[in-house]
Amino acid sequence: MNQQSNFPENFLWGGAVAANQCEGAYTEGKKGLTPVDVLPNVAGGRWEAMLNPTKALETKYDFYPSHESIDFYHHYQEDIALFAEMGFKTFRMSICWARIFPNGDDAAPNEEGLKFYDHVFDECQKHGIEPLVTINHFDTPIALMKNYGGWRNRKLIDFYVHYCEVIFKRYKGKVKYWLTFNEINMLLHVPFIGAGLILNKDEEKNANQLKYQSAHHQLVASSLATKMAREISPEFKIGCMLAAGITYPDTCNPDDVWKALNANREGYFFVDVQSRGYYPSYSRRLFEELKIKLEIQDGDLEVLKKYTVDFVSFSYYSSRVASANPQRTEGTEGNVFSTLKNPHLKASEWGWQIDPLGLRITMNELYDRYQKPLFIVENGLGAKDTVKEDGSIDDDYRIDYLREHIREMGEAIQDGVECWGYTTWGCIDLVSAGTGEMSKRYGFIYVDRDDNGKGTNKRSKKKSFGWYKKVIQSNGVDLA
Ligand code: BG6
């Protein structure tokens, strides 16, 4: 192919997973419990359980999808070999905090947990794959919630920083790219998995105070981790991670535009701190209106200022719409945040609207605002797949989705946006975070397991497997 690539030569193509959605082996190797371990599947009321963790912790459900999941814990060699066959340059994964510190506050780390990730990173290295590691992907140890109240408690900063110190020292030389918190803005919507917050009825009334205080602790923890990373290895690159997706105004009515601006700021708030190094000026009024009084200790603001991230990573599935018109109520599903329906867009089987140009817009917005390299660490289509009699899976719908998004990502790069890489979400089928389903599949690799945990866990290649291999081989030129 003679056509010129829109992507830089060393562009990091790959795929992404998270420990809590793929490892399984939920008590093996002395691992402690994390939020997903107490969440049922959709039939058991997963969403309600996420929003009412007190009840979730007291209830004995029939089935917990994460307990076995796709058993990456025992299949990592086979899985990484398949990623290598596709030509992955990078593999985004997360370390489960509770494998390293089962209670979160243990004095010494758990060697079995550390060894497991040694093996995973060695396997990546063997195949020339650069790991991109999320330090906390929705899995603050349950013990830290029960004993300390989760991230509302400042002590969590010390436990997190200790955990970072251990993994930074242990995996120096094996891992270069780190993300401090997955989708940090998610804690405003699902505080249980985002910040280990279990709120009682009284606290519910005061939820904003607790959420933003927890956010402050995570932001300080993220900066302290960055500080430590700089001390441990000059090779390390530290990124923040935002659940992104531009919010459009429903119309050109200034009221709608104002509403959309504020919806976007809700997420930017976090990256403003992590990337620019200070609380944005609009937060003063926001805190006043929400009656929030942040407890900020001496030195916090200096740390935030001094240790900002090297790059801005984000997930993108869809754009959103905001309207000031109370009559405009027709909504649709989305990645946790509810949004109004955009009449110009089609949607996935789960109602997530499909907007490839929205990715280009989001990238341009983020780059204009922060002027730091971007990394798209999640993007993809959750869809039902059908296995044909001969075992093949023709997932053209997934190829179409990814093709259009990759095309727009290339356009954004040509617009002048610096982007280091792209990892599709759920490169191998895994348990859905939102619904706990297996049937909401994102992978290039099919895993024989259903919503009730039945199946052989056998891996097989979908049509998109060969397609993505060509995309990587041609550095994004061959998207046919
Ligand atoms: C992101 C999360 O919010 O979206 C992932 O970082 C999650 O953990 C992904 O799996 C897709 O969401 P879902 O609900 O389809 O699994």
Side-chain angles (χ1 to χ4, degrees):
M1 232 177 244
N2 294 327
Q3 203 186 319
Q4 249 207 321
S5 173
N6 279 342
F7 298 89
E9 223 172 273
N10 52 355
F11 193 71
L12 291 166
W13 296 96
V17 300
N20 75 85
Q21 289 164 261
C22 73
E23 282 181 5
Y26 84 112
T27 51
E28 249 181 272
K30 304 195 190 79
K31 174 185 162 294
L33 291 184
T34 65
V36 291
D37 296 326
V38 301
L39 294 177
N41 61 3
V42 74
R46 185 177 182 90
W47 191 244
E48 297 75 36
M50 270 202 257
L51 296 179
N52 186 354
T54 311
K55 189 160 166 244
L57 284 162
E58 284 164 357
T59 309
K60 172 95 190 76
Y61 298 102
D62 296 336
F63 176 58
Y64 296 89
S66 79
H67 286 192
E68 281 130 34
S69 193
I70 60 158
D71 197 23
F72 177 78
Y73 192 77
H74 296 107
H75 288 74
Y76 67 91
Q77 285 170 305
E78 178 188 350
D79 295 344
I80 293 170
L82 285 165
F83 301 152
E85 196 182 323
M86 267 187 282
F88 278 22
K89 313 277 183 225
T90 188
F91 171 45
R92 176 183 174 224
M93 47 163 287
S94 69
I95 293 179
C96 172
W97 187 350
R99 279 202 192 283
I100 312 299
F101 289 96
N103 298 299
D105 63 351
D106 315 69
N110 169 30
E111 184 56 29
E112 264 187 83
L114 287 168
K115 275 218 178 87
F116 169 66
Y117 295 106
D118 266 327
H119 296 320
V120 172
F121 298 140
D122 290 346
E123 208 57 29
C124 288
Q125 210 162 39
K126 187 169 114 190
H127 291 287
I129 296 176
E130 185 79 55
L132 163 61
V133 177
T134 317
I135 298 170
N136 185 3
H137 191 128
F138 299 157
D139 63 6
T140 299
I142 292 264
L144 289 182
M145 303 177 194
K146 288 190 172 161
N147 301 330
Y148 297 90
W151 278 92
R152 76 179 75 189
N153 190 329
R154 203 181 158 93
K155 286 202 177 112
L156 272 269
I157 299 177
D158 298 336
F159 300 137
Y160 176 87
V161 171
H162 184 208
Y163 161 51
C164 288
E165 183 182 4
V166 167
I167 59 175
F168 286 165
K169 286 188 173 155
R170 176 83 170 215
Y171 305 126
K172 176 180 158 182
K174 294 185 182 186
V175 177
K176 194 162 120 190
Y177 297 95
W178 303 91
L179 306 179
T180 51
F181 288 91
N182 181 61
E183 295 186 331
I184 189 162
N185 49 325
M186 210 53 114
L187 77 81
L188 298 178
H189 299 267
V190 263
F192 177 49
I193 59 168
L197 284 182
I198 304 174
L199 307 179
N200 64 33
K201 281 269 167 299
D202 277 347
E203 290 170 338
E204 288 284 0
K205 291 180 211 139
N206 204 13
N208 282 324
Q209 171 67 34
L210 290 167
K211 286 183 200 171
Y212 278 96
Q213 187 63 52
S214 302
H216 177 69
H217 293 152
Q218 290 197 350
L219 292 166
V220 172
S222 177
S223 288
L224 286 171
T226 307
K227 173 177 189 282
M228 178 173 295
R230 303 251 155 87
E231 287 157 10
I232 292 176
S233 170
E235 278 230 305
F236 285 168
K237 300 279 178 222
I238 307 291
C240 56
M241 198 309 201
L242 175 75
I246 182 94
T247 299
Y248 302 131
D250 192 31
T251 70
C252 53
N253 180 337
D255 288 338
D256 287 351
V257 177
W258 179 243
K259 188 107 185 189
L261 183 140
N262 282 298
N264 284 315
R265 275 181 171 173
E266 187 198 277
Y268 291 153
F269 167 87
F270 292 86
V271 187
D272 284 353
V273 180
Q274 290 178 294
S275 180
R276 291 167 164 171
Y278 50 89
Y279 278 103
S281 46
Y282 59 83
S283 62
R284 191 187 51 79
R285 186 165 190 175
L286 174 82
F287 290 159
E288 227 170 72
E289 288 178 0
L290 295 178
K291 302 197 179 13
I292 292 167
K293 281 213 165 51
L294 278 196
E295 261 179 52
I296 297 180
Q297 286 195 2
D298 282 355
D300 284 0
L301 297 181
E302 286 72 28
V303 165
L304 294 177
K305 178 96 206 151
K306 203 156 169 205
Y307 304 103
T308 56
V309 290
D310 298 307
F311 64 101
V312 173
S313 84
F314 65 95
S315 61
Y316 177 85
Y317 294 91
S318 187
S319 54
R320 304 181 183 101
V321 177
S323 166
N325 177 359
Q327 254 101 60
R328 175 73 164 89
T329 51
E330 197 192 352
T332 182
E333 292 301 315
N335 187 13
V336 175
F337 318 103
S338 54
T339 176
L340 294 173
K341 201 164 181 167
N342 184 333
H344 306 285
L345 301 177
K346 295 204 180 93
S348 77
E349 292 166 89
W350 273 264
W352 294 24
Q353 300 184 103
I354 300 173
D355 181 10
L357 181 54
L359 174 61
R360 180 177 176 185
I361 299 169
T362 300
M363 289 175 74
N364 274 278
E365 286 280 331
L366 287 171
Y367 194 66
D368 282 355
R369 195 172 177 107
Y370 302 113
Q371 296 285 299
K372 286 200 180 171
L374 304 183
F375 208 133
I376 302 169
V377 295
E378 284 186 34
N379 173 238
L381 179 74
K384 288 196 177 113
D385 291 328
T386 309
V387 186
K388 296 210 280 206
E389 248 170 58
D390 64 358
S392 61
I393 299 150
D394 289 343
D395 56 342
D396 293 290
Y397 35 89
R398 184 167 294 110
I399 294 175
D400 289 345
Y401 177 100
L402 293 172
R403 178 192 297 117
E404 294 313 313
H405 283 79
I406 291 173
R407 198 168 270 152
E408 294 299 338
M409 168 172 58
E411 291 299 326
I413 292 171
Q414 290 312 309
D415 293 336
V417 172
E418 186 182 357
C419 181
W420 282 353
Y422 174 74
T423 59
T424 66
W425 176 249
C427 46
I428 180 166
D429 292 346
L430 37 61
V431 174
S432 154
T435 68
E437 290 163 301
M438 267 308 294
S439 53
K440 192 180 186 192
R441 297 174 183 275
Y442 287 88
F444 304 113
I445 300 163
Y446 184 87
V447 180
D448 177 31
R449 186 176 161 86
D450 69 15
D451 289 342
N452 304 309
K454 303 269 180 312
T456 60
N457 265 340
K458 187 174 160 292
R459 276 65 169 151
S460 52
K461 300 172 195 170
K462 302 181 195 176
K463 188 172 173 186
S464 56
F465 185 101
W467 174 81
Y468 196 46
K469 184 175 176 172
K470 273 195 313 173
V471 172
I472 299 178
Q473 238 164 22
S474 65
N475 199 23
V477 172
D478 187 357
L479 298 176

